[in-house]
Amino acid sequence: MGIEMNWSKFIQRVFQSAEPYLKKRGDILHTQVAHQYTLVLMKQEGGDKKIVEPAIILHDVGWSSLDPIQIQAAYGVRSGGKEADRLNRIHEREGAVIALQILQSLKYAPQFTDEIISIIQRHDSGITARSIEEQVVKDADKLWRFSKIGFWEEIERQELEPAELYQYLLTRYPEWFFTDTALIIAGKEIKKRGVETM
Ligand SMILES: [Fe+2]
Ligand SMILES: [Fe+2]
């Protein structure tokens, strides 16, 4: 059994460990799509998969520590303000705690674990990214809403009009991404969402 085989098994185990937490907000699909985007981004931009892949799979496990009403207030196009920020920070902080427990239970190498935890702690708030790994995680997380599946799921989840989400993404996306590859993907996808919402 080669290293790649071991790696894909490990990634499966991380997914399995994260699932019960991700289910709470219905984030399994979001996580799978964002994970796929990290693979695409790493091909073009680089980044260490040993940090990036566990980080993206575990990044949203912290939503499990908030109730649905808090999640609604903390997240999305219509949220904002101090309370939204406070709740959002909880999902980052609690996510880091849960992710640490999961990685320790899987006996993952501490040098990677430390970096993964610090990315999760800042994944939705830090306006800078300290490493290429952090850039890739943040960009992949955001690309979800541009994908066909993510765009339409967010419309349902946040009870938005399709045109509302489309306009929101269209006006803001040029400033959201750290990597050129993510910016290009978002630009292509938003054009397609525009056609679908017409
Ligand atoms: Fe998040
Ligand atoms: Fe996310």
Side-chain angles (χ1 to χ4, degrees):
M1 194 160 46
I3 272 179
E4 288 309 312
M5 184 63 168
N6 286 332
W7 181 249
S8 66
K9 271 201 173 156
F10 171 72
I11 288 302
Q12 258 180 25
R13 291 188 67 191
V14 179
F15 256 119
Q16 283 163 2
S17 309
E19 248 177 36
Y21 301 99
L22 295 174
K23 269 185 187 155
K24 181 121 182 233
R25 194 184 68 139
D27 270 327
I28 289 178
L29 205 55
H30 163 56
T31 304
Q32 286 168 339
V33 169
H35 177 235
Q36 288 305 311
Y37 274 129
T38 63
L39 302 182
V40 174
L41 294 178
M42 278 194 288
K43 261 193 194 141
Q44 302 297 322
E45 304 283 345
D48 189 341
K49 70 178 180 183
K50 294 198 169 71
I51 293 166
V52 170
E53 289 191 60
I56 196 72
I57 295 166
L58 296 170
H59 80 279
D60 270 338
V61 292
W63 285 120
S64 61
S65 56
L66 296 170
D67 64 44
I69 291 168
Q70 289 177 312
I71 290 170
Q72 200 73 24
Y75 172 84
V77 171
R78 291 179 185 159
S79 72
K82 268 194 184 157
E83 179 63 2
D85 277 350
R86 188 185 72 82
L87 294 167
N88 202 290
R89 293 302 75 74
I90 293 175
H91 107 280
E92 291 179 324
R93 211 170 50 229
E94 294 302 314
V97 173
I98 295 165
L100 181 61
Q101 286 166 359
I102 289 174
L103 291 170
Q104 283 177 342
S105 77
L106 295 173
K107 300 193 167 38
Y108 200 49
Q111 76 267 29
F112 300 127
T113 299
D114 289 349
E115 184 58 28
I116 291 162
I117 297 312
S118 89
I119 291 174
I120 293 173
Q121 256 163 3
R122 311 161 23 95
H123 79 266
D124 218 5
S125 58
I127 47 168
T128 56
R130 293 189 275 211
S131 61
I132 183 63
E133 286 80 15
E134 187 174 345
Q135 292 184 356
V136 166
V137 168
K138 283 182 165 168
D139 282 0
D141 187 20
K142 289 208 173 67
L143 277 175
W144 145 260
R145 52 186 88 161
F146 293 84
S147 70
K148 183 168 187 163
I149 197 160
F151 180 84
W152 291 100
E153 188 174 310
E154 289 301 333
I155 284 165
E156 259 187 47
R157 171 148 87 175
Q158 300 181 47
E159 299 174 0
L160 303 169
E161 291 300 323
E164 184 183 7
L165 182 58
Y166 171 69
Q167 280 304 328
Y168 175 82
L169 295 178
L170 186 68
T171 47
R172 288 166 202 236
Y173 89 92
E175 286 155 29
W176 272 346
F177 295 102
F178 294 98
T179 67
D180 291 341
T181 308
L183 182 63
I184 292 166
I185 294 171
K188 282 184 186 158
E189 290 298 317
I190 194 67
K191 277 204 189 103
K192 293 185 201 165
R193 303 297 82 80
V195 173
E196 290 163 13
T197 50
M198 267 192 274

